[in-house]
Amino acid sequence: MAVAKKDQERATYAWMYGAQASKDGKERAAPAYWQEHADAWLQGFDGEPMDGLGKTKTVNDEMEAEVDEAVVERPAGT
């Protein structure tokens, strides 16, 4: 069964927000906003790959730190 592109995008965003909530130490309960895609949100929270997408790649903590450092170290006015 084909899934509408817009619904797939929303499910993907729900998965990403769930993964970030897990990293942030938030409660394992999909917020009201994501109830329509709660399954995807919980899969992201639990680190499970999204249905139908196979293996998903996440940004690791080391990469996040590198990006944050680059922003902090950028000279003013550039």
Side-chain angles (χ1 to χ4, degrees), residues 11 18 54 56:
T56 55

Side-chain angles (χ1 to χ4, degrees), residues 23-68:
K23 283 179 139 185
D24 293 343
K26 306 239 172 142
E27 182 180 336
R28 187 189 181 275
Y33 182 79
W34 293 114
Q35 286 306 306
E36 183 178 349
H37 299 288
D39 290 341
W41 195 95
L42 292 171
Q43 285 178 333
F45 191 92
D46 295 338
E48 297 175 13
M50 279 192 67
D51 292 336
L53 294 182
K55 186 175 182 179
T56 55
K57 294 182 180 180
T58 58
V59 177
N60 66 27
D61 293 332
E62 185 176 310
M63 175 59 185
E64 288 181 3
E66 291 173 11
V67 172
D68 290 343

Side-chain angles (χ1 to χ4, degrees), residues 6-34:
K6 190 176 246 182
D7 287 339
Q8 183 60 45
E9 288 176 4
R10 288 181 182 150
T12 301
Y13 278 111
W15 186 93
M16 291 188 306
Y17 276 90
Q20 187 61 48
S22 177
K23 283 179 139 185
D24 293 343
K26 306 239 172 142
E27 182 180 336
R28 187 189 181 275
Y33 182 79
W34 293 114

